[in-house]
């Protein structure tokens, strides 16, 4: 379980560092499913496979100058990791976005097999 927690933390740091392509894909099982529950930026929510996750990372890189994840709480049990995160991102036009995020990660063989995000954005 500590290994999965360590991987989860490294994954969030890689995203904060702007990882895309193979640098990001290495964290995921090839048949990963990511579910983003409805939120301010994605009112309908989203479900993504590995290709969709990588495309979303590429889009994010074109919109944000930087982002940061502050892990407030982390719980690991077996193949599951739950993180409470404060996220801050700055858009290319200088707008700062903030969100409180709960992320639930399911692991298989040391890679993320499923991810569920509950993103609560601060008002614009």
């Amino acid at each position: 379980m500590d290994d999965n927690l360590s991987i989860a933390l490294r994954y969030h740091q890689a995203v904060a560092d702007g990882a895309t392509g193979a640098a990001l894909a290495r964290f995921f099982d090839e048949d990963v499913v990511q579910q983003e529950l409805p939120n301010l930026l994605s009112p309908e929510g989203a479900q993504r496979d590995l290709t969709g996750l990588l495309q979303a990372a590429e889009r994010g890189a074109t919109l944000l100058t930087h982002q940061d994840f502050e892990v407030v709480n982390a719980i690991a049990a077996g193949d599951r990791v739950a993180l409470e995160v404060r996220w801050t991102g700055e858009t290319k036009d200088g707008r700062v976005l903030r969100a409180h995020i709960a992320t639930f990660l399911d692991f298989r063989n040391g890679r993320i097999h499923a991810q569920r995000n509950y993103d609560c954005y601060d008002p614009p």
Side-chain angles (χ1 to χ4, degrees):
M1 87 180 115
D2 289 336
D3 289 344
N4 290 337
L5 179 55
S6 175
I7 293 165
L9 296 174
R10 287 196 317 269
Y11 159 57
H12 277 78
Q13 187 59 54
V15 172
D17 292 341
T20 58
L24 187 59
R26 70 186 181 96
F27 290 99
F28 298 108
D29 195 58
E30 65 183 28
D31 60 349
V32 65
V33 175
Q34 186 248 359
Q35 183 179 13
E36 178 181 352
L37 282 293
N39 60 67
L40 183 66
L41 298 183
S42 183
E44 300 298 315
Q47 187 164 318
R48 299 177 183 93
D49 59 8
L50 181 57
T51 299
L53 277 163
L54 298 178
Q55 289 171 344
E58 291 286 343
R59 278 192 305 278
T62 67
L63 299 173
L64 298 172
T65 58
H66 77 276
Q67 58 183 323
D68 182 59
F69 295 89
E70 176 192 351
V71 177
V72 177
N73 230 327
I75 300 170
D79 288 334
R80 295 198 168 157
V81 173
L83 299 175
E84 178 186 359
V85 178
R86 285 191 196 115
W87 175 83
T88 305
E90 185 174 341
T91 63
K92 297 220 176 195
D93 64 1
R95 198 167 110 194
V96 176
L97 304 172
R98 290 184 174 76
H100 306 271
I101 301 172
T103 300
F104 298 87
L105 304 168
D106 296 335
F107 285 80
R108 182 167 62 189
N109 299 321
R111 292 183 180 218
I112 299 166
H113 176 69
Q115 177 176 342
R116 287 168 313 287
N117 277 48
Y118 299 81
D119 303 346
C120 299
Y121 287 89
D122 288 353

